[in-house]
């Protein structure tokens, strides 16, 4: 539905999510589920999903990586087996350790960090600012002066996004650029063609081999042998 590379990346990230769930006994994203549950208890509270759509983020992230970076990332996600404890999760809540982890990610995959973290910082800031605009009260007539009340907003975001949101809060933001999906590169098109050709080739070869063995099996059966012998006799006559 979202393309071969984007689909494969989602499968790998689901594998990472399953690994974390297995290690901790709880699924990632519990803070968002808790936020939804609490928001539903508040009268007239609107719950808004304010993050950038996942397909856009994945496609932009994949387009930003070179072929070897994609291979390296996929390899690391495929063979992720490091043990994770609840103490490790608590340590990640420390600002200095979190900043160190983010710095390591920037150093290894700078383009991935830009698309998955920095661009989403901008998007999240923009959506929070839209939600935090003052609310205009209804007026009895056009002559009545406009009155506003402040909006009450609770934003639930990952800790890694907080510094970026603070940094971008007073900036004039435009999210049009980070919502576009760049066209695939020539190397990406070639890679997709090779993958598809390989898959179709293997399927075709498999069908050929199965068909060949099926025909051989049928011909080796006594009724088929008898029928072929009669055909031979008829031809000779």
């Amino acid at each position: 539905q979202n393309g071969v590379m984007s689909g494969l990346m989602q499968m790998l990230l689901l594998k990472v999510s399953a690994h974390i769930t297995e290690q901790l006994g709880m699924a990632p994203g519990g803070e968002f589920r808790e936020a939804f549950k609490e928001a539903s208890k508040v009268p007239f509270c609107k719950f808004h999903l304010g993050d950038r759509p996942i397909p856009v983020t994945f496609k932009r992230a994949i387009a930003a990586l070179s072929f070897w970076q994609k291979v390296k990332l996929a390899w690391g996600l495929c063979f992720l087996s490091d043990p994770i404890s609840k103490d490790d999760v608590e340590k990640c809540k420390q600002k200095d350790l979190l900043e160190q982890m983010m710095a390591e990610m920037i150093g290894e995959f700078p383009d991935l960090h830009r698309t998955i973290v920095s661009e989403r910082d901008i998007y999240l800031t923009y959506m929070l600012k839209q939600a935090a605009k003052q609310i205009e009260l209804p007026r009895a007539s056009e002559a009545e002066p406009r009155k506003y009340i402040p909006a009450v907003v609770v934003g639930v975001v990952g800790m890694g996004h907080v510094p970026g949101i603070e940094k971008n809060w007073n900036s004039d933001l435009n999210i049009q650029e980070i919502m576009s999906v760049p066209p695939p590169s020539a190397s990406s098109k070639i890679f997709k063609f090779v993958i598809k050709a390989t898959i179709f080739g293997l399927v075709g070869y498999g069908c050929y081999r199965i068909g060949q063995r099926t025909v051989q099996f049928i011909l080796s059966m006594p009724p088929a042998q008898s029928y072929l012998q009669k055909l031979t006799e008829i031809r000779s006559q």
Side-chain angles (χ1 to χ4, degrees), residues 1-8 10-11 54-56 58-59 192:
Q1 183 179 351
N2 296 322
V4 176
M5 293 302 297
S6 183
L8 289 172
Q10 289 193 46
M11 287 173 63
I54 290 176
V56 176
F58 275 164
K59 287 179 181 179
K192 286 181 182 178

Side-chain angles (χ1 to χ4, degrees), residues 15-29:
K15 178 182 180 297
V16 174
S17 177
H19 172 69
I20 295 171
T21 304
E22 183 182 4
Q23 292 286 318
L24 299 178
M26 63 181 78

Side-chain angles (χ1 to χ4, degrees), residues 229-237:
Q229 188 176 0
K230 287 180 181 180
L231 280 177
T232 306
E233 291 173 357
I234 292 169
R235 278 188 176 185
S236 62
Q237 289 174 0

